[in-house]
Amino acid sequence: MEISHILESLNPAQREAVTAPLGPLRVLAGAGSGKTRVLAQRIAWLLAVENASPWSILAVTFTNKAAAEMRGRIEALLDIPIRKLWIGTFHGIAHRLLRLHWQEAKLPQGFQILDADDQQRLVKRMIRDLNLDDKKWPPPQATWFINARKDEGLHPHQIHAQDDPAQRQLLRIYQSYQEHCERTGLVDFGELLLRSYELLRDDPTLLRHYRERFLHVLVDEFQDTNTIQYNWVRLLTGGQGDVFIVGDDDQSIYGWRGARIENIHRFSEDFPGARTVRLEQNYRSTGAILEAANAVIANNLERLGKTLWTEDSAGDPIAVYAAFNEYDEARFVMERIRHWLEQGGKRSEVGILYRSNAQSRVLEETLLGARIPYRVYGGLRFFERAEIKDALAYLRLLANRDDDPSFERAVNMPPRGIGERTLESLRILARESKLSLWRAAQGVIGSGHIAARAGLALHGFLTLIDTLERDTKELSLPALVDEVLKRSGLLDLYGKEKSDKGEMRVENLQELVNAAATPAAAPVAQADEEEPMNELAAFLAHAALEAGEGQASAWEDCVQLMTLHSAKGLEFPMVFIVGVEEGLFPHQQSMREPKRLEEERRLAYVGITRARRQLFLSHAEKRRLHGREIYPKPSRFLAEIPVKLTRDVRTRTTVHFTQPRRPGSVESEAGVALYPGQRVRHRSFGEGIVQTVEGQGAHARVQVRFAKAGAKWLILSYANLEPI
Ligand code: ATP
Ligand code: MG
């Protein structure tokens, strides 16, 4: 029964992949062809037919959300809980390994994850400690250097000092940063991967154990693995065995973060005997959407090349909207969503995608004004909010006193009279005696090194943390969080802020108590009998690893806003891609380098193929971006879509007048109503057709497509248009 269950609704190629004999296998296929689905069914197949133990399966997904969905899907298929199966992101799995084997990995038991924000702050401190000017050595660049080396698998001692003085300096920063992290038990995202790789590489017994255990390794979105992830998979599997990877070289979009598209090509060489299955039928999109995606990606030269077809009809043409500016664009999006909702569509079926985070603000404003609930996916996530990070700093200090970034954050928050001068003395002392700030503070109290008042305040802080730990030993996690919020003074501090913001912060802090009550939301943090991770540690790991994929409520019935990058793997019946303009998409910085331009084009392919039924592409004639007014050209990607697949659209604006008029009309100078579709004459531009009308009175504007002069936006009161 289960077998037919697993195989039904799979096409022959998909079935071939799901039922393939054990051994290395690569599924190489375009967007929406069922790769992720096949990977989930394969796991079900292994369990139900190959009699694999859940214990022997390791599955890697690109996001925690995908991991949770996959787990749910397999459980539904087999109707059994599969707790022992390891499924998570590379980072989540690496973290789990390090937790289990902290000693072998030479980490303190309570090691903490350093998120991107704290990492950069720490790098900045290291730059200053080295007496370097952080204008000349900007922390973001140094952080980038460090992360890039880690992604390649290199710790400082493995990098040869180069002749280039700048490289040598960056290496010094990396060195002192790394030493600091080692000393204080902090592990950044790159280190999670690198450490867990080294853990297996340097410990033959452990490696043998895991090779014997994980007989089935499956990886989704393989085209976006970086060097260390690839090497980790190779090491763990020994380049053989049942390794099942799926990917699409046309969707590799993280090259700028170290992903290596060639990994998916190399697979067949590094895993001898590997089979390749290609899926060619797309189940997601209409014919027009698929053809547009195929046409765009065909402009890339470096491809393996695939064909992708659908049984679906052509469907609606792809709608292209030329907006006046970003507000007009947002209004257009909003109107179309309204229309969708009027027709019975759901909000959660709508995805709005953009290239750059900064684009979301105007869209948000407009949706807010229209009272359409929305959610920004991957925006400033809950755990990154200032007040939440304040509270987490206390919790992290409870778990690990040597966590310097948390010490710095908590020590004078709320203000306790521990100023920058005191902190600076602490930093110097910590550096000179190679101690954490906490230990330095212990030593400095009463030593005369700092002012008596500051010493007293510092003493108060250390006592607060120590007594908090002592008094909360027996408490459940939510009760502990609650206690920390109260006794730290954070609740009082924000409660006193008599503004909406203060109120929101208090609510967020209370939400943290709720979050702590939800058993380890991240699948990787799930404790099971082999892994007695303490509750607080599991919660803190979750806070650091949860990649902005939102809480459970994120997928309530809301319109979804996100960058094109975070849309990978998802699908929506209705998709808007906004700002399809040269300089924005493709991005300014990628336009001149062919390789980067190809990555932008793959991003366009990813974006287009998220749409199931309806796709809207918009560009603005004028846009304010990063504080500048620009007049961008429509993107080259638009021109790459065959004209026959597209349709120019106008807004459905209804301009309201005190006197009833034809809907969508606006009054011209001569007192004549203009409406979309109206023929008009202009003194210099000649004859044309009104496309869009908006605003009223002195602000009324019309867009007219002139036979000779093309489309123009005109202010009605100046244009002297004559209806004909
Ligand atoms: P992406 O490259 O975007 O990650 P994918 O190849 O992983 O896409 P899936 O997300 O697995 O594709 O599948 C795309 C859609 O097609 C899903 O809604 C899935 O349920 C559906 N689908 C896949 N295979 C079939 C099939 N054989 N019959 C019906 N629907 C299918
Ligand atoms: Mg997928």
Side-chain angles (χ1 to χ4, degrees), residues 650 662-668 671-682 686-693 702-707 716 721-724:
R650 310 174 202 137
R662 182 172 178 154
S665 70
V666 69
E667 199 166 355
S668 83
V672 192
L674 294 182
Y675 52 88
Q678 171 90 335
R679 296 183 65 80
V680 290
R681 184 179 296 119
H682 182 271
E687 285 185 16
I689 296 175
V690 175
Q691 307 280 304
T692 316
V693 292
V702 289
Q703 189 189 36
V704 183
R705 192 172 290 278
F706 291 101
L716 207 59
L721 290 173
E722 187 191 330
I724 49 177

Side-chain angles (χ1 to χ4, degrees), residues 9 37 43 84 89 106 121 167 182 202 243 261 335 349 447 458 481 499 519 543 616 671 680-681 692:
S9 75
R37 182 170 160 136
I43 296 176
K84 292 216 175 116
T89 60
K106 302 187 185 58
R121 238 179 276 220
Q167 292 282 321
E182 301 274 345
D202 301 339
V243 190
I261 196 169
E335 282 168 9
E349 290 169 341
S447 68
L458 211 48
V481 174
S499 61
F616 294 84
V680 290
R681 184 179 296 119
T692 316

